[in-house]
């Protein structure tokens, strides 16, 4: 499922950010939210750099991590089936981040839609973009393609952009863990 190349990219970056900077469980182990230099490295890994001004500072990374925690809560609501509350919260995030559609062209790309004002600060521009990208998913029949990993002891976020829409794990590692456990259970069964 491709919403459009830019929106799909923003949604994938949002999922990557949520998985890198929010606490919980990952691949069967507890996952602590990074802090300090580790947080900065996690944000830089999850969010692309298009221009030299796109390299975040530690304060900007911390600010974006706060927005990520709120966006993660939205995904948790979606995963539990509470779409109404998820949409209400996401609307609040978009208002607070001053999300506004703006056509933009940079880096040799054609005109495309951004979801923040041209003069928005780094963290707020990403928060607005990610919130609006997730809103496209929530306002779409494909909302079931967004959720939390179905593997035991993993609560990382996934977005299924595949054609058939059957992904329910955050990674191949979690999918393989579940398949291996099922195989072992079948072999052990009398």
């Amino acid at each position: 499922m491709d919403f459009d190349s830019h929106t799909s990219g923003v949604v994938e970056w949002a999922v990557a950010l949520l998985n890198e900077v929010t606490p919980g469980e990952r691949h069967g182990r507890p996952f602590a939210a990074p802090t300090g230099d580790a947080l900065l490295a996690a944000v830089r890994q999850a969010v692309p750099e298009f221009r030299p001004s796109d390299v975040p500072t530690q304060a900007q990374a911390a600010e974006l991590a706060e927005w990520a925690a709120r966006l993660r809560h939205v995904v948790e609501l979606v995963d539990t089936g509470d779409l109404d509350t998820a949409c209400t919260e996401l609307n609040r995030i978009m208002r607070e981040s001053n999300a506004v559609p703006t056509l933009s062209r940079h880096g040799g790309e054609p005109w495309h839609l951004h979801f923040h004002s041209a003069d928005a600060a780094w963290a707020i521009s990403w928060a607005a973009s990610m919130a609006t990208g997730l809103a496209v998913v929530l306002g779409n029949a494909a909302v079931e393609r967004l959720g939390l990993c179905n593997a035991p002891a993993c609560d990382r976020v996934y977005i299924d952009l595949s054609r058939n829409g059957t992904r329910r794990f955050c990674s191949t590692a979690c999918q393989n863990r579940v398949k291996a456990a099922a195989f072992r259970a079948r072999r052990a069964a009398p």
Side-chain angles (χ1 to χ4, degrees):
M1 169 113 242
D2 192 19
F3 300 100
D4 75 39
S5 62
H6 187 69
T7 302
S8 292
V10 170
V11 171
E12 288 181 294
W13 298 322
V15 168
L17 180 71
L18 300 182
N19 287 340
E20 292 298 323
V21 303
T22 59
E25 296 176 304
R26 182 189 333 215
H27 310 309
R29 294 186 174 93
F31 179 76
T35 59
D37 289 341
L39 174 61
L40 182 58
V43 168
R44 286 181 174 171
Q45 179 180 332
V47 178
E49 298 172 10
F50 295 110
R51 299 173 301 272
S53 62
D54 289 338
V55 178
T57 65
Q58 208 154 24
Q60 291 168 323
E63 181 182 353
L64 187 55
E66 291 174 13
W67 287 103
R70 293 180 65 189
L71 293 171
R72 180 179 172 76
H73 179 66
V74 169
V75 175
E76 290 167 349
L77 290 167
V78 169
D79 195 67
T80 63
D82 192 354
L83 188 58
D84 291 342
T85 305
C87 289
T88 299
E89 179 58 23
L90 196 53
N91 280 336
R92 183 177 299 114
I93 293 168
M94 287 189 293
R95 278 191 308 275
E96 291 174 16
S97 65
N98 297 315
V100 56
T102 306
L103 287 169
S104 180
R105 183 170 65 185
H106 52 83
E109 292 184 26
W111 286 99
H112 57 278
L113 193 59
H114 277 205
F115 305 115
H116 57 84
S117 65
D119 60 347
W122 186 87
I124 201 84
S125 69
W126 276 109
S129 293
M130 290 177 176
T132 307
L134 288 173
V136 170
V137 175
L138 270 60
N140 191 296
V143 67
E144 74 276 355
R145 292 172 176 245
L146 176 68
L148 301 179
C149 185
N150 283 223
C154 188
D155 65 0
R156 300 296 85 190
V157 177
Y158 71 85
I159 182 73
D160 183 2
L161 298 176
S162 70
R163 198 176 277 216
N164 65 5
T166 59
R167 180 177 175 182
R168 296 298 177 257
F169 300 97
C170 68
S171 66
T172 304
C174 277
Q175 182 179 10
N176 289 343
R177 277 191 315 117
V178 170
K179 286 182 177 181
F183 175 76
R184 286 190 300 272
R186 283 192 306 273
R187 287 190 79 186

